[in-house]
Amino acid sequence: MSTGKRKLGTGLFVLFLLAMAFLIVISVSSLYFGYNGYIREEEGYLIYLITGVFGLMLAAYGANQMRSHIVVIQPIEFNVVTLTECEKCGFRNIRKFESGDYVLKTHGDCPKCDGQMVISSIYHEEGQTPGLF
Amino acid sequence: MFSTIIQQIPGEDPIQNIVGYLFSFLMMAIFFLFYNRIQMTMWLREIEGALGRLEIMRNEARRVAITTIKEAGKPENEIDSKVDRILDYFQISPVNLDPSGIVWKLEHLIDVRDNRWKEDVQMMAPAAEKAQINNLENLLQVASGLNLLYRIVRHYYLFGKKMSSFYVIMQLQMLLPLVMQEADALTGALNAFAKGQPIGDGAGALVAAKLMHGKKKKIVAKEVVSADFKLNGRRLLVLKAEGPGGNVGRPGDGIEKLMEDHRGKVSLIIMVDAALKLEGEKTGEVAEGIGAAIGGIGVERYKIEEIALKYKVPLNAVIVRESVQEAIAPMKKEITEGVDAALKRVMQLIEERTSDGDTVIVAGIGNTIGIGQ
């Protein structure tokens, strides 16, 4: 499976980045003025602080929205293993799944005795969720 | 005149206050007048994102299907356009104004569809073996499912946008999590079907396979294999879909045939299947109940219920719990443990509910991909 990104208009993306940068500059400046006003006990510092906080919240929301529109494909390969078991002595062997494996397929002779090895189960371990993304 | 009005405004800087009031009124007006439109735009953006993901999933499924068919079937001609044609197949449900006999019409349609899919896969992949053809058919069904999901979401998205319909967009946005869950599940199944790995849905088939392993088998219905043997003084008739290709078989026909062959002298029917768990329940948990444990559109369940009723044979069900994603993804370790627990439960049921000399049918239901017998 390939890795790629969903196409997003470059112009729109640059415009969005510029708007975000502008918003962040305005918000940080506003916070700075608000803080200075508070230190100097000037009137109206609260409006600057509120504007700064809301501006930063808006920037964070915008960035989060943009993130959801950039789709990165992370292919998930399930770690599927094949468990073979000797029908006679119970010797077990776990290895990676190979094409052509299926449950209850006889799979050669047992290395410990002269019994037959049979694929007793094929499964994947926890830790991976189905899906491409 | 203007300066008199200005002087009436409280505060030290009346101009600043006017700007403030105007701004507040403007914002209120914007929210009152355009709230729906703003909300709709946000939902549309969210749906666009989901639609983009669905498109990638659909294209990926198509690519995997084409690659696998080329690898397994060694086609002589280009198959891309044939795959595209198969992905667009549709099925028209029978008319239900007069429901009498609809089950048989449905069965006929399913037969026609299955044969058509198989024939098309065989034509595209002449070098593929029987099991591989079944797997490729399943793979194409997954790709077709993703294609359908994408087309439906795109339809409602474009329709809602075209009509500027708040309610169409709202319903689509609210259904998105369920749609994406379904799409994720189908995408997770791609690799399993392409490689022929057992999937979660095969839990029931695996129970039957373990029971009939090493016994003499015969075909009792279309793509259904059965074994007849004695265990703990009982006669067991075990059946499952014929593996290891991706296949669910016709267990309804299989059970019917076994019942008729034994003239209804069967003490118990036990059906083992994977079943959807509720949120909060553990994967691989085993539960027991009454009735025909089999999914699908109901044709097979109808047949099983009919034959059980005809001979008044009790129907018992043993299920292995799993989520919808786990059902079509490669089998999890918890499910294989659940299979062992289900096998024990079946043996316990036979021990408790029947006596020496009784005949019991055990039907392992589910897709038998990657599971032999």
Side-chain angles (χ1 to χ4, degrees):
Chain A
M1 286 178 200
S2 58
T3 303
K5 283 181 181 180
R6 187 184 153 221
K7 280 184 182 174
L8 187 80
T10 317
L12 191 71
F13 187 65
V14 171
L15 194 72
F16 174 79
L17 283 184
L18 285 175
M20 282 293 112
F22 181 70
L23 190 62
I24 289 168
V25 168
I26 293 285
S27 307
V28 172
S29 312
S30 188
L31 279 176
Y32 175 74
F33 288 128
Y35 178 71
N36 273 350
Y38 173 70
I39 297 292
R40 291 176 197 154
E41 293 181 355
E42 289 172 2
E43 273 187 28
Y45 72 90
L46 198 60
I47 196 78
Y48 283 112
L49 287 177
I50 290 170
T51 309
V53 169
F54 271 94
L56 285 178
M57 281 167 65
L58 196 63
Y61 176 75
N64 190 43
Q65 284 291 99
M66 182 53 79
R67 202 171 57 99
S68 68
H69 285 269
I70 300 172
V71 180
V72 180
I73 305 175
Q74 290 173 328
I76 293 169
E77 285 289 331
F78 290 101
N79 179 28
V80 180
V81 294
T82 300
L83 173 67
T84 51
E85 228 171 315
C86 174
E87 288 189 304
K88 201 171 170 187
C89 69
F91 172 73
R92 295 172 129 209
N93 180 36
I94 295 181
R95 58 166 174 78
K96 257 186 106 72
F97 174 86
E98 288 168 12
S99 184
D101 283 357
Y102 63 84
V103 180
L104 300 181
K105 180 186 181 186
T106 50
H107 199 265
D109 295 331
C110 173
K112 301 270 177 191
C113 66
D114 58 346
Q116 279 254 312
M117 294 291 279
V118 173
I119 296 177
S120 59
S121 60
I122 296 171
Y123 58 85
H124 86 86
E125 299 274 11
E126 186 54 275
Q128 300 141 315
T129 49
L132 266 178
F133 306 99
Chain B
M1 168 79 176
F2 183 68
S3 59
T4 318
I5 295 170
I6 293 286
Q7 281 165 10
Q8 303 301 313
I9 295 168
E12 287 176 8
D13 187 351
I15 299 295
Q16 194 182 348
N17 283 354
I18 285 176
V19 172
Y21 287 140
L22 281 177
F23 183 74
S24 305
F25 279 123
L26 190 69
M27 290 306 286
M28 277 174 67
I30 286 173
F31 272 100
F32 273 119
L33 295 174
F34 300 107
Y35 173 73
N36 280 3
R37 198 160 280 274
I38 294 167
Q39 181 68 71
M40 207 164 82
T41 310
M42 285 166 71
W43 282 341
L44 280 171
R45 296 287 294 162
E46 197 180 323
I47 296 164
E48 267 171 34
L51 198 57
R53 282 180 62 193
L54 279 174
E55 192 181 2
I56 296 171
M57 288 173 175
R58 179 192 72 152
N59 294 342
E60 184 63 17
R62 179 183 175 275
R63 191 193 65 75
V64 171
I66 290 172
T67 313
T68 314
I69 291 170
K70 281 180 179 168
E71 277 171 11
K74 310 275 183 291
E76 288 152 10
N77 303 315
E78 199 49 54
I79 57 161
D80 294 29
S81 59
K82 280 182 188 166
V83 168
D84 287 337
R85 208 176 70 192
I86 290 175
L87 295 187
D88 272 343
Y89 273 175
F90 59 88
Q91 184 183 318
I92 301 166
S93 301
V95 66
N96 56 8
L97 285 171
D98 177 12
S100 166
I102 197 168
V103 173
W104 312 119
K105 289 185 201 171
L106 266 171
E107 188 185 26
H108 173 63
L109 279 177
I110 293 166
D111 272 342
V112 172
R113 186 198 63 184
D114 285 354
N115 291 340
R116 178 74 187 269
W117 279 78
K118 274 203 173 67
E119 282 165 17
D120 282 347
V121 173
Q122 267 166 347
M123 274 193 281
M124 282 193 296
E129 293 165 13
K130 191 184 170 192
Q132 281 176 320
I133 285 173
N134 284 340
N135 294 353
L136 292 175
E137 187 196 339
N138 282 192
L139 181 61
L140 281 169
Q141 280 170 358
V142 169
S144 174
L146 278 167
N147 185 40
L148 185 66
L149 274 182
Y150 169 72
R151 284 168 48 222
I152 290 172
V153 172
R154 184 182 61 181
H155 165 74
Y156 283 110
Y157 164 73
L158 292 174
F159 181 71
K161 205 173 163 183
K162 192 165 138 188
M163 298 292 167
S164 290
S165 170
F166 185 79
Y167 292 102
V168 171
I169 301 291
M170 183 178 72
Q171 286 182 67
L172 182 56
Q173 189 270 345
M174 285 174 170
L175 281 172
L176 265 188
L178 297 177
V179 172
M180 296 314 288
Q181 194 184 40
E182 181 86 18
D184 277 338
L186 288 170
T187 313
L190 277 177
N191 267 337
F193 285 117
K195 293 177 180 170
Q197 294 163 342
I199 57 170
D201 184 50
L206 188 52
V207 170
K210 288 191 170 188
L211 261 176
M212 63 166 68
H213 179 54
K215 311 289 187 308
K216 199 179 167 191
K217 288 136 212 146
K218 62 174 182 179
I219 300 288
V220 287
K222 190 185 173 191
E223 294 173 330
V224 176
V225 66
S226 163
D228 181 347
F229 56 93
K230 287 205 167 172
L231 192 74
N232 300 340
R234 278 80 166 172
R235 185 176 183 184
L236 291 193
L237 308 169
V238 184
L239 62 92
K240 72 178 272 290
E242 190 185 7
N247 179 23
V248 290
R250 293 291 167 82
D253 290 344
I255 291 175
E256 202 176 339
K257 173 86 170 50
L258 292 177
M259 290 283 284
E260 295 296 356
D261 284 353
H262 291 81
R263 294 187 190 125
K265 285 174 186 157
V266 172
S267 308
L268 184 68
I269 299 173
I270 303 172
M271 299 186 69
V272 193
D273 196 8
L276 287 187
K277 66 170 187 174
L278 300 174
E279 288 297 332
E281 288 176 341
K282 272 188 181 170
T283 296
E285 251 180 16
V286 174
E288 204 183 304
I290 301 297
I294 183 166
I297 50 174
V299 174
E300 296 303 307
R301 193 161 74 224
Y302 178 84
K303 288 183 210 164
I304 295 163
E305 285 167 355
E306 281 285 297
I307 197 75
L309 177 71
K310 184 179 171 187
Y311 292 108
K312 301 275 185 291
V313 179
L315 263 173
N316 279 241
V318 174
I319 55 152
V320 180
R321 290 191 169 125
E322 55 196 64
S323 71
V324 65
Q325 289 100 326
E326 289 160 348
I328 53 174
M331 193 178 276
K332 279 175 93 171
K333 195 177 181 189
E334 291 91 326
I335 299 174
T336 59
E337 288 162 359
V339 165
D340 294 334
L343 189 56
K344 276 184 196 158
R345 190 70 71 92
V346 168
M347 298 314 296
Q348 195 184 344
L349 256 176
I350 294 170
E351 196 69 35
E352 288 168 1
R353 305 276 160 195
T354 61
S355 321
D356 274 5
D358 282 351
T359 302
V360 181
I361 292 178
V362 180
I365 309 298
N367 193 320
T368 189
I369 188 166
I371 302 167
Q373 51 267 330

